[in-house]
Amino acid sequence: MKNIPFSKILIILLVCLIIGGILPFLFTRFSAKLVLFVGALFGFVCLLLIKQGRITVYDWLILFFIAIPFHDFRIMFGTFFLRSTEVFFIPFFIWAGVQITRNESGWKNLLRLETEYVILLFFYAFTVISIACSVSPFISIYRTVVLLYLILLSFIISKILKQEDKIYLIIKAMIAVSAAASIFAIFQSFVPGLQPFHPIALANLGALTIYRSGAGWQNPNYLALYLTMIFPITYVCKISSVFPEKKFFQISFVLQLLGLFSTYSRLGFISLSLTFICLLAVRGKKKLALIILIILSLLAVTTFMSMTYIYEHNPYLAVTIFRIPYLGVVKKNPLLIAGWRRDAWIANFRMFVDHPFLGVGPFMSTEMYGAYRPADQVYQAKSGLAVHNEYLSLFSERGFIGAFLFLMFLLFLTTRAIVFYKKNKSSGQGKLMLGLWASIVNFLFFSFGGATIYSVQFWVNVGIILAVYNLAKQKTLEKNS
């Protein structure tokens, strides 16, 4: 791989991604499963040709990254299914196991747990115990297994990335795939045939219909979460003089921003804006951060006070901001602007009060909505209602102890990252850690309006944070010995 320019490998992989993603949609008889198959086949053949059959664990990790934008594509086995990322995790897990166990210190390295993973171990154990309260144990068990795979994913990444050039390679691949997914999303905004799921029409601009893009997610908000968790890393690499290939980062930065815009995710824009304010503050630009915060707050207040004017003069902006196309409906029921989240939040709070210690069971808050819904609910459908707030979900589904353990994990992780950055501001590792820290901060903000604990990119970033930290720690030990 050292003899082949990264840009060449990148171009080939992105072509594979685009061909694998678009080709099946040119033929209506093809299913989403074939998208995964064609993309995987092209990518695998590409790697075989480039590496002459010598595929490493890092190559499998890059292929795993390519599967993330197709997250909701499923291979069904009756009521049981595997997502694209879960399929690609299997060979990555096998290759990682071989690499780790070949190393004489591999087992010792595996048994050396960071504080974050000790906390996660207790959190996971408590999650397993809370299954006892579930009204649908099969669903809870399945989702708990998925959570285990995600924790394992981050753990393996933290153990295999032990060289600076490998970490940088993986970061670039991650950014490149997100840029390619953004291109795909941009086209989805105008070509509904590229939507693998039901296209979500947002507004009409003359003869042109604008659609919300989700890439391989049914919900565009989760494409927004994916992009906003990589965007701060791209930004830090773009503005830092220690990283080469500036043009690559600049192009990726623009594509990611356009990809995020194509999701029309209010939550994505809010979380990213708040994250950048935090980034400015940490980098010592506190006055600028405060000014931007005040401007954004005034803009938000002005927007809601000018609702009538916006509806009368700019229907496109009205639909984009408020999501409700008719002003009369909003005036009759202002709660509709927040969707049905208020109903779900009240119901989940009631679940927590009723089950404060163990919760109602993993992934059960939606199932239990009907039993705890408010009497004055806005939501009229008979099906369950998702809470779209990870903090409330943690409390309602796992009780106080489970929620406390996960929040402690986040506290330890973010503290480790920011302390590392402050001690290594001028180094490449320190700069990377700043971007990774910001990605977790974005996760914290996004979690107020989304279900985020099963975000694949979040767990990938967790693994990279600990890999960067462990590499620096190892270098310090070698220097002192």
Side-chain angles (χ1 to χ4, degrees):
M1 209 169 211
K2 291 181 180 178
N3 299 325
I4 303 172
F6 177 76
S7 57
K8 185 176 180 180
I9 297 174
L10 174 63
I11 290 170
I12 297 172
L13 285 175
L14 295 190
V15 169
C16 293
L17 177 65
I18 293 170
I19 293 175
I22 295 178
L23 183 62
F25 293 112
L26 300 178
F27 306 92
T28 55
R29 66 180 182 276
F30 287 169
S31 67
K33 293 179 187 177
L34 192 62
V35 176
L36 174 61
F37 174 76
V38 173
L41 180 62
F42 271 89
F44 188 67
V45 170
C46 161
L47 281 175
L48 282 175
L49 293 173
I50 293 174
K51 302 300 295 293
Q52 299 176 352
R54 296 187 296 272
I55 299 179
T56 68
V57 66
Y58 308 108
D59 301 319
W60 280 115
L61 183 55
I62 292 171
L63 279 175
F64 178 86
F65 289 161
I66 292 174
I68 294 177
F70 298 115
H71 177 72
D72 281 353
F73 289 4
R74 303 175 179 182
I75 296 176
M76 303 296 295
F77 303 96
T79 56
F80 177 75
F81 63 87
L82 288 174
R83 287 187 172 88
S84 62
T85 45
E86 293 155 10
V87 172
F88 276 89
F89 174 73
I90 297 170
F92 168 67
F93 179 75
I94 295 171
W95 253 253
V98 171
Q99 174 174 307
I100 292 170
T101 52
R102 274 182 178 177
N103 192 331
E104 291 181 4
S105 61
W107 289 108
K108 290 182 181 178
N109 189 35
L110 275 177
L111 295 174
R112 195 181 298 118
L113 296 178
E114 292 80 10
T115 306
E116 288 83 349
Y117 287 120
V118 174
I119 297 172
L120 280 175
L121 191 62
F122 283 100
F123 168 73
Y124 190 79
F126 202 86
T127 297
V128 172
I129 294 171
S130 68
I131 294 174
C133 301
S134 174
V135 294
S136 299
F138 175 80
I139 295 175
S140 290
I141 291 170
Y142 171 69
R143 298 306 295 179
T144 302
V145 171
V146 172
L147 181 61
L148 176 62
Y149 126 71
L150 291 169
I151 295 173
L152 274 175
L153 169 67
S154 74
F155 181 71
I156 292 170
I157 290 173
S158 73
K159 296 300 180 184
I160 64 170
L161 296 180
K162 296 188 288 186
Q163 298 171 351
E164 193 167 358
D165 63 328
K166 297 300 182 186
I167 292 176
Y168 189 51
L169 170 68
I170 292 304
I171 290 286
K172 287 193 294 183
M174 193 170 72
I175 290 172
V177 172
S178 68
S182 297
I183 296 172
F184 194 50
I186 293 165
F187 279 106
Q188 283 182 337
S189 293
F190 308 100
V191 185
L194 294 179
Q195 298 268 6
F197 309 106
H198 182 68
I200 303 174
L202 181 72
N204 293 318
L205 295 177
L208 181 66
T209 301
I210 304 294
Y211 296 87
R212 293 188 66 194
S213 301
W217 282 272
Q218 296 188 54
N219 186 338
N221 280 322
Y222 295 108
L223 170 59
L225 174 59
Y226 165 72
L227 291 174
T228 54
M229 288 208 67
I230 299 177
F231 192 83
I233 305 171
T234 309
Y235 171 75
V236 170
C237 290
K238 183 179 78 73
I239 65 172
S240 302
S241 58
V242 295
F243 299 108
E245 299 173 311
K246 289 294 179 185
K247 195 169 185 181
F248 164 72
F249 292 120
Q250 289 169 353
I251 293 171
S252 297
F253 178 85
V254 173
L255 288 174
Q256 289 167 358
L257 190 60
L258 292 174
L260 175 61
F261 187 79
S262 70
T263 68
Y264 288 90
S265 171
R266 296 169 298 187
L267 182 57
F269 281 111
I270 291 170
S271 66
L272 190 61
S273 299
L274 295 175
T275 298
F276 266 81
I277 289 171
C278 292
L279 258 176
L280 287 171
V282 167
R283 292 176 59 218
K285 301 180 179 180
K286 294 181 181 180
K287 288 184 179 179
L288 179 59
L290 180 61
I291 291 170
I292 293 174
L293 180 61
I294 292 171
I295 292 172
L296 290 177
S297 300
L298 290 173
L299 184 62
V301 172
T302 303
T303 299
F304 276 90
M305 291 181 66
S306 307
M307 187 186 298
T308 303
Y309 179 85
I310 292 171
Y311 266 102
E312 290 176 354
H313 294 87
N314 199 325
Y316 168 71
L317 193 60
V319 174
T320 302
I321 297 174
F322 301 114
R323 288 283 190 275
I324 309 297
Y326 304 108
L327 177 61
V329 177
V330 178
K331 285 185 173 180
K332 186 177 179 182
N333 195 342
L335 288 175
L336 286 173
I337 291 176
W340 301 313
R341 292 182 180 178
R342 170 258 190 188
D343 294 342
W345 289 6
I346 292 173
N348 273 252
F349 179 75
R350 290 177 176 177
M351 291 177 210
F352 168 65
V353 172
D354 204 23
H355 301 80
F357 297 108
L358 291 178
V360 296
F363 221 66
M364 284 295 103
S365 61
T366 301
E367 297 280 332
M368 297 295 290
Y369 170 77
Y372 291 92
R373 60 189 178 185
D376 60 341
Q377 67 173 359
V378 176
Y379 184 66
Q380 298 298 325
K382 295 182 180 179
S383 59
L385 182 60
V387 61
H388 291 293
N389 183 307
E390 195 56 62
Y391 304 110
L392 279 173
S393 177
L394 284 166
F395 279 100
S396 65
E397 295 182 355
R398 293 169 176 86
F400 173 78
I401 299 174
F404 174 77
L405 286 170
F406 192 76
L407 293 175
M408 283 296 293
F409 156 71
L410 291 173
L411 177 63
F412 272 77
L413 182 71
T414 51
T415 301
R416 184 190 294 271
I418 198 64
V419 169
F420 180 91
Y421 164 69
K422 288 182 177 179
K423 289 181 178 179
N424 303 272
K425 286 184 178 181
S426 59
S427 70
Q429 292 176 3
K431 302 290 186 185
L432 276 181
M433 190 64 88
L434 175 63
L436 289 161
W437 169 82
S439 76
I440 303 300
V441 170
N442 181 84
F443 172 88
L444 296 176
F445 286 129
F446 202 99
S447 295
F448 281 102
T452 54
I453 198 171
Y454 292 99
S455 164
V456 178
Q457 192 59 50
F458 166 72
W459 292 103
V460 168
N461 288 10
V462 168
I464 298 175
I465 285 174
L466 295 172
V468 172
Y469 177 83
N470 289 333
L471 175 62
K473 185 178 178 182
Q474 184 62 35
K475 282 187 174 181
T476 303
L477 289 173
E478 291 173 358
K479 194 178 291 183
N480 294 335
S481 61

